[in-house]
Amino acid sequence: MRTTRSIRCVLAAVICGTLFNSAARADGEVIAAFTKNQVDPHFEGVRAGVAQMAEKMRATVKYYTPTKPNNITEGMSQLEDVGVTKPNLMLFMPIDAKAQLPTIKRLIESGLPIINYNDRGGDAPYLSFVGQDDYKLGYDIAKTLFDHLGGKGNVVMLEGVKGSTTGDERKRGFDAAAKDYPNIKILASQPANFQRLLGMQTMENLIQQFSTIDGVIAAADASALGAIEALNAAGRKNVAVVSINGVPEAVEAVKTGNLLAIAEFDGFKIGCVATAVGLNAIRGQSAPKQVTIPGAIITKANYAPWLVPYKDRTCPSPDAYITK
Protein backbone atom coordinates (compact mmCIF):
# COMPACT_ATOMS: atom_id res chain seq x y z
CA MET A 1 0.00 0.00 0.00
CA ARG A 2 2.80 2.42 1.00
CA THR A 3 4.65 1.72 -2.28
CA THR A 4 1.49 2.40 -4.32
CA ARG A 5 0.91 5.67 -2.50
CA SER A 6 4.52 6.73 -3.12
CA ILE A 7 4.20 6.00 -6.84
CA ARG A 8 1.01 8.09 -6.97
CA CYS A 9 2.79 11.00 -5.24
CA VAL A 10 5.69 10.84 -7.71
CA LEU A 11 3.28 10.76 -10.69
CA ALA A 12 1.34 13.72 -9.23
CA ALA A 13 4.52 15.70 -8.85
CA VAL A 14 5.55 14.93 -12.42
CA ILE A 15 2.12 15.93 -13.75
CA CYS A 16 2.07 19.15 -11.69
CA GLY A 17 5.62 19.91 -12.77
CA THR A 18 4.56 19.57 -16.36
CA LEU A 19 1.66 21.93 -15.74
CA PHE A 20 3.87 24.50 -14.03
CA ASN A 21 6.45 24.44 -16.81
CA SER A 22 4.35 23.85 -19.89
CA ALA A 23 4.24 27.56 -20.82
CA ALA A 24 7.91 28.21 -20.06
CA ARG A 25 10.64 27.93 -22.65
CA ALA A 26 10.38 31.13 -24.64
CA ASP A 27 8.70 34.26 -23.34
CA GLY A 28 5.38 35.34 -21.88
CA GLU A 29 5.98 33.47 -18.63
CA VAL A 30 4.11 34.52 -15.50
CA ILE A 31 6.22 35.35 -12.44
CA ALA A 32 4.82 35.38 -8.89
CA ALA A 33 6.96 37.93 -7.00
CA PHE A 34 6.70 38.11 -3.21
CA THR A 35 7.66 41.07 -1.02
CA LYS A 36 6.96 41.60 2.67
CA ASN A 37 5.15 44.93 2.83
CA GLN A 38 4.16 48.09 0.98
CA VAL A 39 5.53 50.58 3.51
CA ASP A 40 9.30 49.96 3.37
CA PRO A 41 10.83 51.74 0.32
CA HIS A 42 13.37 48.92 0.05
CA PHE A 43 10.65 46.61 -1.24
CA GLU A 44 9.47 49.29 -3.66
CA GLY A 45 12.98 49.01 -5.10
CA VAL A 46 12.72 45.21 -5.28
CA ARG A 47 9.41 45.39 -7.17
CA ALA A 48 10.79 48.03 -9.56
CA GLY A 49 13.77 45.82 -10.38
CA VAL A 50 11.57 42.78 -10.96
CA ALA A 51 9.23 44.79 -13.20
CA GLN A 52 11.99 46.25 -15.34
CA MET A 53 13.81 42.96 -15.92
CA ALA A 54 10.56 41.06 -16.54
CA GLU A 55 9.52 43.58 -19.18
CA LYS A 56 12.96 43.39 -20.78
CA MET A 57 12.71 39.59 -20.95
CA ARG A 58 9.05 39.64 -22.09
CA ALA A 59 7.52 38.08 -18.99
CA THR A 60 4.64 39.29 -16.84
CA VAL A 61 4.57 39.68 -13.06
CA LYS A 62 1.92 39.10 -10.42
CA TYR A 63 2.93 40.66 -7.10
CA TYR A 64 2.14 39.17 -3.71
CA THR A 65 2.47 41.61 -0.79
CA PRO A 66 0.44 41.49 2.45
CA THR A 67 -1.92 44.43 2.97
CA LYS A 68 -0.82 44.41 6.63
CA PRO A 69 2.98 44.76 6.78
CA ASN A 70 4.81 41.47 7.27
CA ASN A 71 1.58 39.64 8.10
CA ILE A 72 2.31 35.92 8.18
CA THR A 73 -1.37 34.90 7.87
CA GLU A 74 -1.70 36.80 4.59
CA GLY A 75 1.69 35.53 3.52
CA MET A 76 0.60 31.92 4.00
CA SER A 77 -2.66 32.55 2.15
CA GLN A 78 -0.77 34.03 -0.78
CA LEU A 79 1.46 30.95 -0.98
CA GLU A 80 -1.65 28.81 -1.21
CA ASP A 81 -2.92 31.03 -4.03
CA VAL A 82 0.27 30.39 -5.99
CA GLY A 83 -0.40 26.67 -5.66
CA VAL A 84 -3.73 27.24 -7.40
CA THR A 85 -2.75 29.80 -10.06
CA LYS A 86 0.44 27.93 -11.05
CA PRO A 87 2.82 30.62 -12.35
CA ASN A 88 5.88 29.59 -14.35
CA LEU A 89 8.33 31.03 -11.81
CA MET A 90 8.22 32.29 -8.25
CA LEU A 91 10.49 34.84 -6.53
CA PHE A 92 10.20 34.31 -2.79
CA MET A 93 11.38 36.13 0.32
CA PRO A 94 10.10 34.86 3.66
CA ILE A 95 8.10 36.75 6.24
CA ASP A 96 8.69 33.87 8.66
CA ALA A 97 11.03 31.33 7.09
CA LYS A 98 10.29 28.60 9.65
CA ALA A 99 6.51 28.87 9.28
CA GLN A 100 6.53 29.12 5.48
CA LEU A 101 9.17 26.50 4.72
CA PRO A 102 6.87 23.41 4.63
CA THR A 103 4.57 25.09 2.08
CA ILE A 104 7.54 26.20 0.01
CA LYS A 105 8.85 22.64 -0.08
CA ARG A 106 5.46 21.34 -1.20
CA LEU A 107 5.35 23.89 -4.03
CA ILE A 108 8.83 22.91 -5.19
CA GLU A 109 7.94 19.21 -5.02
CA SER A 110 4.91 19.94 -7.22
CA GLY A 111 7.23 21.33 -9.89
CA LEU A 112 7.21 25.09 -9.31
CA PRO A 113 10.69 26.65 -9.87
CA ILE A 114 11.43 29.07 -7.01
CA ILE A 115 14.20 31.64 -6.63
CA ASN A 116 14.83 32.68 -3.02
CA TYR A 117 15.81 36.35 -2.97
CA ASN A 118 16.52 39.23 -0.58
CA ASP A 119 16.21 37.18 2.68
CA ARG A 120 17.23 33.55 3.05
CA GLY A 121 14.23 31.23 3.18
CA GLY A 122 15.58 28.07 4.81
CA ASP A 123 16.88 24.80 3.38
CA ALA A 124 14.38 24.18 0.57
CA PRO A 125 15.82 23.15 -2.84
CA TYR A 126 15.53 26.58 -4.43
CA LEU A 127 16.85 27.14 -7.94
CA SER A 128 19.14 29.82 -6.55
CA PHE A 129 19.56 32.40 -3.81
CA VAL A 130 20.03 36.02 -4.93
CA GLY A 131 20.94 38.54 -2.27
CA GLN A 132 23.78 40.13 -0.38
CA ASP A 133 26.22 39.19 2.39
CA ASP A 134 24.51 40.56 5.49
CA TYR A 135 27.44 39.74 7.77
CA LYS A 136 29.82 41.77 5.59
CA LEU A 137 27.36 44.66 5.33
CA GLY A 138 27.14 44.73 9.12
CA TYR A 139 30.89 44.50 9.60
CA ASP A 140 31.73 47.15 7.00
CA ILE A 141 29.24 49.76 8.20
CA ALA A 142 30.20 49.29 11.86
CA LYS A 143 33.87 49.69 10.92
CA THR A 144 33.00 52.87 9.00
CA LEU A 145 31.44 54.34 12.15
CA PHE A 146 34.26 53.24 14.44
CA ASP A 147 36.89 54.73 12.12
CA HIS A 148 34.89 57.98 11.99
CA LEU A 149 34.93 58.08 15.81
CA GLY A 150 38.70 57.64 15.85
CA GLY A 151 38.41 54.14 17.31
CA LYS A 152 36.86 55.21 20.61
CA GLY A 153 33.49 56.27 22.02
CA ASN A 154 30.07 55.13 23.24
CA VAL A 155 27.90 53.36 20.67
CA VAL A 156 24.41 51.82 20.66
CA MET A 157 23.07 49.23 18.21
CA LEU A 158 19.53 49.05 16.78
CA GLU A 159 19.19 45.47 15.63
CA GLY A 160 16.82 43.94 13.08
CA VAL A 161 14.35 41.14 13.82
CA LYS A 162 15.89 38.62 16.22
CA GLY A 163 15.79 35.12 14.75
CA SER A 164 15.79 36.32 11.14
CA THR A 165 18.85 35.43 9.10
CA THR A 166 19.16 39.00 7.85
CA GLY A 167 18.94 40.56 11.29
CA ASP A 168 21.15 38.00 13.01
CA GLU A 169 23.89 38.12 10.36
CA ARG A 170 24.03 41.92 10.42
CA LYS A 171 24.28 41.85 14.23
CA ARG A 172 27.05 39.26 13.98
CA GLY A 173 28.92 41.65 11.68
CA PHE A 174 28.42 44.57 14.10
CA ASP A 175 29.81 42.48 16.98
CA ALA A 176 32.81 41.26 14.97
CA ALA A 177 33.78 44.82 14.08
CA ALA A 178 33.38 45.92 17.72
CA LYS A 179 35.89 43.26 18.80
CA ASP A 180 38.47 44.90 16.52
CA TYR A 181 38.07 48.24 18.33
CA PRO A 182 38.76 47.71 22.06
CA ASN A 183 38.16 51.38 22.90
CA ILE A 184 34.65 51.35 21.44
CA LYS A 185 32.12 50.75 24.22
CA ILE A 186 28.82 49.19 23.18
CA LEU A 187 26.35 50.70 25.64
CA ALA A 188 23.33 48.71 24.48
CA SER A 189 22.07 46.56 21.61
CA GLN A 190 18.29 46.33 21.19
CA PRO A 191 15.86 45.20 18.45
CA ALA A 192 14.22 47.85 16.29
CA ASN A 193 12.86 45.26 13.81
CA PHE A 194 13.89 47.28 10.72
CA GLN A 195 11.05 49.72 11.59
CA ARG A 196 11.01 53.52 11.77
CA LEU A 197 8.61 53.95 14.69
CA LEU A 198 10.33 51.30 16.80
CA GLY A 199 13.70 52.80 15.90
CA MET A 200 12.53 56.17 17.20
CA GLN A 201 10.99 54.73 20.38
CA THR A 202 14.04 52.58 21.14
CA MET A 203 16.34 55.56 20.62
CA GLU A 204 14.20 57.72 22.93
CA ASN A 205 14.63 55.11 25.69
CA LEU A 206 18.38 54.88 25.11
CA ILE A 207 18.70 58.68 25.25
CA GLN A 208 17.05 58.55 28.69
CA GLN A 209 19.49 55.87 29.86
CA PHE A 210 22.78 57.25 28.55
CA SER A 211 24.01 60.83 28.84
CA THR A 212 26.76 60.38 26.25
CA ILE A 213 26.16 58.53 22.98
CA ASP A 214 28.70 59.11 20.21
CA GLY A 215 27.39 56.74 17.56
CA VAL A 216 24.40 54.64 16.46
CA ILE A 217 24.49 51.55 14.24
CA ALA A 218 21.08 50.67 12.76
CA ALA A 219 20.33 47.43 10.92
CA ALA A 220 18.13 49.27 8.40
CA ASP A 221 17.52 52.77 7.04
CA ALA A 222 14.03 52.90 8.52
CA SER A 223 15.35 52.36 12.06
CA ALA A 224 18.11 54.89 11.49
CA LEU A 225 15.69 57.56 10.28
CA GLY A 226 13.54 56.97 13.37
CA ALA A 227 16.62 57.24 15.60
CA ILE A 228 17.63 60.52 13.95
CA GLU A 229 14.18 61.93 14.70
CA ALA A 230 14.60 61.02 18.37
CA LEU A 231 18.13 62.43 18.54
CA ASN A 232 17.10 65.71 16.91
CA ALA A 233 14.11 66.04 19.24
CA ALA A 234 16.44 65.55 22.23
CA GLY A 235 18.91 68.09 20.91
CA ARG A 236 21.63 65.50 20.34
CA LYS A 237 22.49 66.42 16.79
CA ASN A 238 26.20 65.58 17.05
CA VAL A 239 25.67 61.79 17.20
CA ALA A 240 26.97 59.88 14.16
CA VAL A 241 24.39 57.43 12.74
CA VAL A 242 25.00 54.67 10.18
CA SER A 243 22.64 52.12 8.64
CA ILE A 244 22.07 49.49 5.93
CA ASN A 245 19.91 49.72 2.75
CA GLY A 246 20.22 52.91 0.66
CA VAL A 247 16.60 53.93 0.07
CA PRO A 248 16.30 57.43 -1.44
CA GLU A 249 15.08 59.15 1.76
CA ALA A 250 18.05 57.81 3.71
CA VAL A 251 20.46 58.77 0.94
CA GLU A 252 18.98 62.28 1.10
CA ALA A 253 19.87 62.23 4.82
CA VAL A 254 23.45 61.34 3.89
CA LYS A 255 23.48 64.27 1.48
CA THR A 256 22.33 66.70 4.20
CA GLY A 257 24.68 65.25 6.82
CA ASN A 258 22.02 63.78 9.12
CA LEU A 259 23.24 60.25 8.36
CA LEU A 260 26.96 59.49 8.25
CA ALA A 261 26.94 56.48 5.92
CA ILE A 262 24.92 53.52 4.59
CA ALA A 263 26.00 50.01 3.60
CA GLU A 264 24.22 49.43 0.28
CA PHE A 265 21.61 46.65 0.38
CA ASP A 266 20.10 47.32 -3.02
CA GLY A 267 16.58 45.96 -3.52
CA PHE A 268 16.43 47.20 -7.10
CA LYS A 269 19.53 45.23 -8.13
CA ILE A 270 18.34 42.16 -6.22
CA GLY A 271 14.99 42.28 -8.03
CA CYS A 272 16.65 42.67 -11.42
CA VAL A 273 19.16 39.86 -10.98
CA ALA A 274 16.76 37.40 -9.34
CA THR A 275 14.29 37.82 -12.20
CA ALA A 276 16.95 37.31 -14.85
CA VAL A 277 18.46 34.26 -13.12
CA GLY A 278 15.02 32.69 -12.71
CA LEU A 279 13.82 33.31 -16.27
CA ASN A 280 17.10 32.10 -17.73
CA ALA A 281 16.82 28.93 -15.64
CA ILE A 282 13.32 28.03 -16.82
CA ARG A 283 14.41 28.81 -20.39
CA GLY A 284 17.09 26.14 -20.17
CA GLN A 285 20.21 27.79 -18.75
CA SER A 286 21.88 26.49 -15.62
CA ALA A 287 21.21 28.51 -12.47
CA PRO A 288 24.04 29.39 -10.08
CA LYS A 289 23.38 28.08 -6.59
CA GLN A 290 23.96 31.53 -5.18
CA VAL A 291 24.41 35.05 -6.50
CA THR A 292 25.89 37.54 -4.02
CA ILE A 293 25.65 41.20 -4.98
CA PRO A 294 28.36 43.37 -3.38
CA GLY A 295 27.34 46.52 -1.51
CA ALA A 296 29.16 49.86 -1.54
CA ILE A 297 29.48 52.22 1.40
CA ILE A 298 27.36 55.28 0.58
CA THR A 299 28.75 58.54 1.96
CA LYS A 300 28.53 62.25 1.29
CA ALA A 301 31.33 61.76 -1.25
CA ASN A 302 29.50 59.33 -3.55
CA TYR A 303 25.73 59.38 -2.76
CA ALA A 304 24.42 60.75 -6.09
CA PRO A 305 23.68 57.45 -7.92
CA TRP A 306 21.44 56.27 -5.06
CA LEU A 307 19.29 59.41 -5.20
CA VAL A 308 17.99 58.41 -8.64
CA PRO A 309 14.31 57.28 -8.37
CA TYR A 310 13.84 53.53 -8.85
CA LYS A 311 11.75 54.10 -11.98
CA ASP A 312 14.68 55.89 -13.63
CA ARG A 313 17.33 53.26 -12.85
CA THR A 314 18.60 50.63 -15.26
CA CYS A 315 18.93 46.97 -14.35
CA PRO A 316 22.51 45.67 -14.30
CA SER A 317 23.43 42.54 -16.23
CA PRO A 318 23.28 39.48 -13.97
CA ASP A 319 26.54 38.32 -15.53
CA ALA A 320 28.31 41.05 -13.56
CA TYR A 321 27.54 39.17 -10.35
CA ILE A 322 27.62 35.51 -11.34
CA THR A 323 30.84 33.67 -10.59
CA LYS A 324 31.88 31.71 -13.65
Side-chain angles (χ1 to χ4, degrees):
M1 179 66 74
R2 182 174 298 173
T3 300
T4 302
R5 187 180 296 118
S6 299
I7 291 173
R8 286 175 178 168
C9 290
V10 170
L11 288 174
V14 170
I15 291 169
C16 288
T18 302
L19 290 174
F20 272 127
N21 290 296
S22 60
R25 289 293 181 268
D27 57 13
E29 299 95 334
V30 177
I31 303 169
F34 281 70
T35 52
K36 294 192 281 190
N37 63 64
Q38 301 180 40
V39 296
D40 188 335
H42 171 77
F43 299 118
E44 177 188 345
V46 173
R47 291 187 289 270
V50 171
Q52 186 177 123
M53 186 58 78
E55 182 178 11
K56 181 179 180 181
M57 298 182 72
R58 304 173 305 281
T60 60
V61 186
K62 181 176 181 180
Y63 297 99
Y64 289 88
T65 304
T67 56
K68 297 178 181 177
N70 298 37
N71 185 279
I72 184 60
T73 302
E74 284 189 75
M76 294 299 294
S77 175
Q78 290 173 341
L79 285 181
E80 296 298 333
D81 182 71
V82 166
V84 174
T85 58
K86 297 180 172 55
N88 303 102
L89 173 69
M90 179 170 151
L91 306 177
F92 173 71
M93 65 175 74
I95 296 172
D96 182 332
K98 188 175 181 180
Q100 292 176 294
L101 192 57
T103 304
I104 288 294
K105 288 183 174 179
R106 283 199 298 274
L107 288 170
I108 293 174
E109 288 170 0
S110 72
L112 175 59
I114 302 180
I115 297 284
N116 174 206
Y117 70 155
N118 199 77
D119 303 282
R120 291 190 180 275
D123 63 352
Y126 298 105
L127 282 177
S128 182
F129 171 76
V130 178
Q132 294 190 232
D133 184 337
D134 287 293
Y135 170 84
K136 188 174 189 310
L137 295 177
Y139 182 90
D140 289 350
I141 198 60
K143 184 176 184 301
T144 299
L145 174 64
F146 300 156
D147 286 341
H148 172 80
L149 296 176
K152 60 183 179 182
N154 295 330
V155 172
V156 299
M157 296 178 179
L158 303 180
E159 305 170 26
V161 176
K162 281 186 179 294
S164 70
T165 302
T166 300
D168 290 351
E169 284 296 289
R170 291 179 184 181
K171 175 65 165 55
R172 200 165 66 84
F174 299 161
D175 291 341
K179 287 182 181 177
D180 293 340
Y181 291 80
N183 294 321
I184 290 289
K185 183 178 181 181
I186 305 300
L187 298 174
S189 183
Q190 298 182 8
N193 293 1
F194 307 124
Q195 295 177 12
R196 186 164 187 153
L197 179 59
L198 191 55
M200 182 178 70
Q201 293 170 337
T202 304
M203 196 69 234
E204 288 172 344
N205 291 333
L206 293 170
I207 289 169
Q208 294 295 320
Q209 293 179 49
F210 302 107
S211 58
T212 302
I213 298 173
D214 301 302
V216 177
I217 307 171
D221 285 347
S223 304
L225 292 170
I228 290 169
E229 288 183 55
L231 289 164
N232 288 341
R236 300 212 195 169
K237 298 185 178 181
N238 60 341
V239 178
V241 181
V242 298
S243 69
I244 298 174
N245 276 140
V247 302
E249 184 181 359
V251 177
E252 183 68 32
V254 171
K255 177 183 175 181
T256 59
N258 287 318
L259 192 56
L260 175 68
I262 304 169
E264 178 197 20
F265 182 71
D266 197 319
F268 180 78
K269 290 180 182 175
I270 292 171
C272 294
V273 175
T275 303
V277 169
L279 286 174
N280 284 334
I282 65 175
R283 292 177 183 180
Q285 295 185 23
S286 61
K289 193 64 181 174
Q290 176 169 300
V291 180
T292 303
I293 299 171
I297 297 296
I298 304 169
T299 69
K300 204 164 186 176
N302 67 350
Y303 64 84
W306 291 276
L307 272 183
V308 176
Y310 293 125
K311 66 181 178 60
D312 295 329
R313 298 186 188 185
T314 300
C315 276
S317 167
D319 292 340
Y321 305 113
I322 295 174
T323 303
K324 302 296 183 184

